Amino acid sequence: MRQSMQNFFLNVLSHQRHDWMNDLQLIFGYAKMGKSERVEEIVSRVSADMHKEGRIAKLGLPELVFYLMTIKGENREVALHIKADQELRYAGSLTPEEEEGLIRAVRAGMAAYRYSGLAAQAAEPALRIVFGEEGGEATLFIEPENDPQAASVLHHAVEEALESCALSAEASDGGTLIRWKLPV
Protein backbone atom coordinates (compact mmCIF):
# COMPACT_ATOMS: atom_id res chain seq x y z
CA MET A 1 0.00 0.00 0.00
CA ARG A 2 2.73 2.44 0.99
CA GLN A 3 4.67 1.80 -2.24
CA SER A 4 1.58 2.38 -4.39
CA MET A 5 0.81 5.67 -2.58
CA GLN A 6 4.39 6.81 -3.09
CA ASN A 7 4.19 5.92 -6.78
CA PHE A 8 0.89 7.78 -7.05
CA PHE A 9 2.38 10.92 -5.43
CA LEU A 10 5.43 10.73 -7.68
CA ASN A 11 3.17 10.46 -10.72
CA VAL A 12 1.07 13.46 -9.60
CA LEU A 13 4.17 15.54 -8.88
CA SER A 14 5.64 14.58 -12.24
CA HIS A 15 2.50 15.75 -14.06
CA GLN A 16 2.44 19.01 -12.09
CA ARG A 17 6.11 19.64 -12.75
CA HIS A 18 5.57 18.94 -16.45
CA ASP A 19 2.66 21.43 -16.59
CA TRP A 20 4.67 24.10 -14.74
CA MET A 21 7.64 23.59 -17.06
CA ASN A 22 5.38 23.96 -20.10
CA ASP A 23 4.02 27.23 -18.73
CA LEU A 24 7.51 28.52 -17.92
CA GLN A 25 8.76 27.61 -21.40
CA LEU A 26 5.83 29.45 -22.96
CA ILE A 27 6.45 32.51 -20.80
CA PHE A 28 10.17 32.45 -21.59
CA GLY A 29 9.56 32.01 -25.33
CA TYR A 30 6.99 34.80 -25.56
CA ALA A 31 9.18 37.10 -23.44
CA LYS A 32 12.13 36.51 -25.82
CA MET A 33 9.89 37.34 -28.78
CA GLY A 34 8.69 40.51 -27.06
CA LYS A 35 5.07 39.34 -26.93
CA SER A 36 4.24 40.75 -23.51
CA GLU A 37 0.47 40.38 -24.03
CA ARG A 38 0.89 36.59 -24.39
CA VAL A 39 3.12 36.50 -21.29
CA GLU A 40 0.40 38.37 -19.37
CA GLU A 41 -2.27 35.93 -20.59
CA ILE A 42 -0.30 32.91 -19.39
CA VAL A 43 0.59 34.49 -16.04
CA SER A 44 -3.08 35.47 -15.54
CA ARG A 45 -4.23 31.92 -16.34
CA VAL A 46 -1.70 30.34 -13.99
CA SER A 47 -2.60 32.85 -11.26
CA ALA A 48 -6.32 32.12 -11.70
CA ASP A 49 -5.61 28.38 -11.48
CA MET A 50 -3.64 28.87 -8.26
CA HIS A 51 -6.46 30.94 -6.74
CA LYS A 52 -9.00 28.27 -7.75
CA GLU A 53 -6.89 25.55 -6.14
CA GLY A 54 -6.62 27.69 -2.99
CA ARG A 55 -10.43 27.95 -2.79
CA ILE A 56 -10.75 24.20 -3.25
CA ALA A 57 -8.16 23.57 -0.52
CA LYS A 58 -10.17 25.69 1.93
CA LEU A 59 -13.40 23.69 1.51
CA GLY A 60 -12.64 21.74 4.67
CA LEU A 61 -13.16 18.24 3.26
CA PRO A 62 -9.60 16.86 3.26
CA GLU A 63 -10.18 13.59 1.40
CA LEU A 64 -12.26 15.21 -1.33
CA VAL A 65 -9.81 18.11 -1.67
CA PHE A 66 -6.92 15.66 -1.96
CA TYR A 67 -8.73 13.76 -4.69
CA LEU A 68 -9.63 16.90 -6.66
CA MET A 69 -6.11 18.30 -6.39
CA THR A 70 -4.52 15.06 -7.64
CA ILE A 71 -7.01 14.02 -10.33
CA LYS A 72 -4.77 15.26 -13.16
CA GLY A 73 -2.22 12.64 -12.22
CA GLU A 74 -4.71 9.89 -12.84
CA ASN A 75 -6.81 11.36 -15.68
CA ARG A 76 -5.73 13.37 -18.69
CA GLU A 77 -8.55 12.46 -21.09
CA VAL A 78 -11.39 14.42 -19.49
CA ALA A 79 -10.78 17.94 -18.19
CA LEU A 80 -12.21 18.76 -14.80
CA HIS A 81 -13.39 22.34 -14.32
CA ILE A 82 -14.01 23.11 -10.67
CA LYS A 83 -15.65 26.21 -9.23
CA ALA A 84 -15.79 27.05 -5.52
CA ASP A 85 -16.51 30.41 -3.92
CA GLN A 86 -13.89 31.90 -1.60
CA GLU A 87 -16.19 31.84 1.45
CA LEU A 88 -17.30 28.20 1.26
CA ARG A 89 -16.37 26.11 4.28
CA TYR A 90 -17.78 22.60 4.59
CA ALA A 91 -15.68 21.43 7.56
CA GLY A 92 -17.72 19.27 9.92
CA SER A 93 -20.67 18.98 7.55
CA LEU A 94 -20.09 15.36 6.52
CA THR A 95 -19.15 12.15 8.23
CA PRO A 96 -16.04 10.41 6.88
CA GLU A 97 -18.34 7.88 5.15
CA GLU A 98 -20.32 10.66 3.45
CA GLU A 99 -17.13 12.39 2.32
CA GLU A 100 -15.92 9.08 0.90
CA GLY A 101 -19.32 8.81 -0.83
CA LEU A 102 -18.75 12.19 -2.50
CA ILE A 103 -15.36 11.02 -3.73
CA ARG A 104 -16.93 7.81 -5.07
CA ALA A 105 -19.63 9.90 -6.77
CA VAL A 106 -17.13 12.19 -8.51
CA ARG A 107 -14.98 9.21 -9.54
CA ALA A 108 -18.03 7.29 -10.77
CA GLY A 109 -19.30 10.26 -12.76
CA MET A 110 -15.88 10.74 -14.32
CA ALA A 111 -15.53 7.03 -15.14
CA ALA A 112 -19.05 6.77 -16.55
CA TYR A 113 -18.48 9.73 -18.84
CA ARG A 114 -14.99 8.64 -19.79
CA TYR A 115 -15.76 4.99 -20.54
CA SER A 116 -19.28 5.28 -21.98
CA GLY A 117 -17.80 6.41 -25.28
CA LEU A 118 -19.48 9.80 -24.96
CA ALA A 119 -16.28 11.60 -23.93
CA ALA A 120 -14.53 10.25 -27.03
CA GLN A 121 -17.22 11.85 -29.19
CA ALA A 122 -16.90 15.29 -27.56
CA ALA A 123 -14.54 17.82 -29.11
CA GLU A 124 -13.25 18.80 -25.66
CA PRO A 125 -14.45 16.29 -23.06
CA ALA A 126 -14.90 17.99 -19.70
CA LEU A 127 -16.85 17.76 -16.49
CA ARG A 128 -17.79 20.80 -14.46
CA ILE A 129 -18.04 20.58 -10.68
CA VAL A 130 -19.53 23.50 -8.80
CA PHE A 131 -19.45 23.76 -5.02
CA GLY A 132 -22.13 26.03 -3.60
CA GLU A 133 -24.44 26.82 -0.76
CA GLU A 134 -28.23 27.21 -0.81
CA GLY A 135 -30.52 27.84 2.15
CA GLY A 136 -28.27 26.29 4.79
CA GLU A 137 -27.31 23.38 2.57
CA ALA A 138 -24.02 22.63 0.87
CA THR A 139 -24.30 21.70 -2.80
CA LEU A 140 -22.11 19.83 -5.23
CA PHE A 141 -23.20 20.01 -8.87
CA ILE A 142 -21.60 17.78 -11.52
CA GLU A 143 -22.33 18.12 -15.23
CA PRO A 144 -20.74 17.16 -18.52
CA GLU A 145 -19.76 20.34 -20.35
CA ASN A 146 -21.03 20.73 -23.91
CA ASP A 147 -22.46 17.21 -23.89
CA PRO A 148 -26.08 17.13 -22.66
CA GLN A 149 -26.66 13.51 -23.75
CA ALA A 150 -24.02 12.37 -21.22
CA ALA A 151 -25.94 13.87 -18.27
CA SER A 152 -28.15 10.82 -17.71
CA VAL A 153 -25.19 8.40 -17.85
CA LEU A 154 -23.31 10.53 -15.32
CA HIS A 155 -26.37 10.89 -13.06
CA HIS A 156 -26.99 7.15 -12.94
CA ALA A 157 -23.34 6.49 -12.00
CA VAL A 158 -23.41 9.15 -9.24
CA GLU A 159 -26.65 7.74 -7.80
CA GLU A 160 -25.15 4.24 -7.66
CA ALA A 161 -21.98 5.53 -5.99
CA LEU A 162 -24.04 7.21 -3.26
CA GLU A 163 -26.24 4.18 -2.48
CA SER A 164 -24.09 3.09 0.45
CA CYS A 165 -24.18 6.45 2.27
CA ALA A 166 -26.81 8.90 3.51
CA LEU A 167 -26.34 11.31 0.59
CA SER A 168 -28.50 11.27 -2.51
CA ALA A 169 -28.39 12.85 -5.94
CA GLU A 170 -31.07 14.56 -7.97
CA ALA A 171 -31.09 15.29 -11.69
CA SER A 172 -30.92 19.04 -12.21
CA ASP A 173 -30.40 21.26 -15.28
CA GLY A 174 -28.27 18.87 -17.35
CA GLY A 175 -26.31 17.55 -14.41
CA THR A 176 -26.48 15.99 -11.00
CA LEU A 177 -26.96 17.86 -7.72
CA ILE A 178 -25.96 16.53 -4.31
CA ARG A 179 -27.09 18.41 -1.19
CA TRP A 180 -26.30 18.05 2.50
CA LYS A 181 -26.92 20.06 5.66
CA LEU A 182 -24.30 22.48 6.89
CA PRO A 183 -23.57 22.66 10.61
CA VAL A 184 -25.33 25.50 12.41
Side-chain angles (χ1 to χ4, degrees), residues 103-115:
I103 295 167
R104 275 194 318 273
V106 173
R107 281 183 189 271
M110 174 80 72
Y113 181 53
R114 195 168 156 194
Y115 298 121

Side-chain angles (χ1 to χ4, degrees), residues 40-55:
E40 288 176 27
E41 286 174 22
I42 295 167
V43 169
S44 292
R45 179 184 48 78
V46 169
S47 177
D49 288 347
M50 293 291 114
H51 285 291
K52 178 182 72 175
E53 287 181 7
R55 288 190 302 275

Side-chain angles (χ1 to χ4, degrees), residues 79-96:
L80 196 58
H81 301 143
I82 304 168
K83 182 177 184 257
D85 293 334
Q86 187 77 21
E87 298 81 32
L88 291 178
R89 300 287 187 275
Y90 295 162
S93 65
L94 293 172
T95 66

Side-chain angles (χ1 to χ4, degrees), residues 69-154:
M69 299 291 252
T70 58
I71 186 87
K72 278 190 202 176
E74 127 186 1
N75 164 56
R76 293 286 222 194
E77 297 87 26
V78 177
L80 196 58
H81 301 143
I82 304 168
K83 182 177 184 257
D85 293 334
Q86 187 77 21
E87 298 81 32
L88 291 178
R89 300 287 187 275
Y90 295 162
S93 65
L94 293 172
T95 66
E97 293 79 21
E98 290 169 334
E99 188 173 348
E100 183 59 37
L102 280 183
I103 295 167
R104 275 194 318 273
V106 173
R107 281 183 189 271
M110 174 80 72
Y113 181 53
R114 195 168 156 194
Y115 298 121
S116 67
L118 295 168
Q121 297 172 16
E124 292 181 37
L127 291 181
R128 184 169 73 104
I129 296 179
V130 180
F131 291 92
E133 206 174 298
E134 236 175 61
E137 290 184 319
T139 59
L140 174 70
F141 180 72
I142 310 169
E143 75 173 332
E145 286 189 354
N146 309 315
D147 196 356
Q149 67 181 3
S152 63
V153 170
L154 186 144

Side-chain angles (χ1 to χ4, degrees), residues 31-44:
K32 281 184 83 168
M33 293 187 308
K35 296 190 174 193
S36 60
E37 69 283 346
R38 294 291 292 151
V39 170
E40 288 176 27
E41 286 174 22
I42 295 167
V43 169
S44 292

Side-chain angles (χ1 to χ4, degrees), residues 1 136 174:
M1 174 74 158

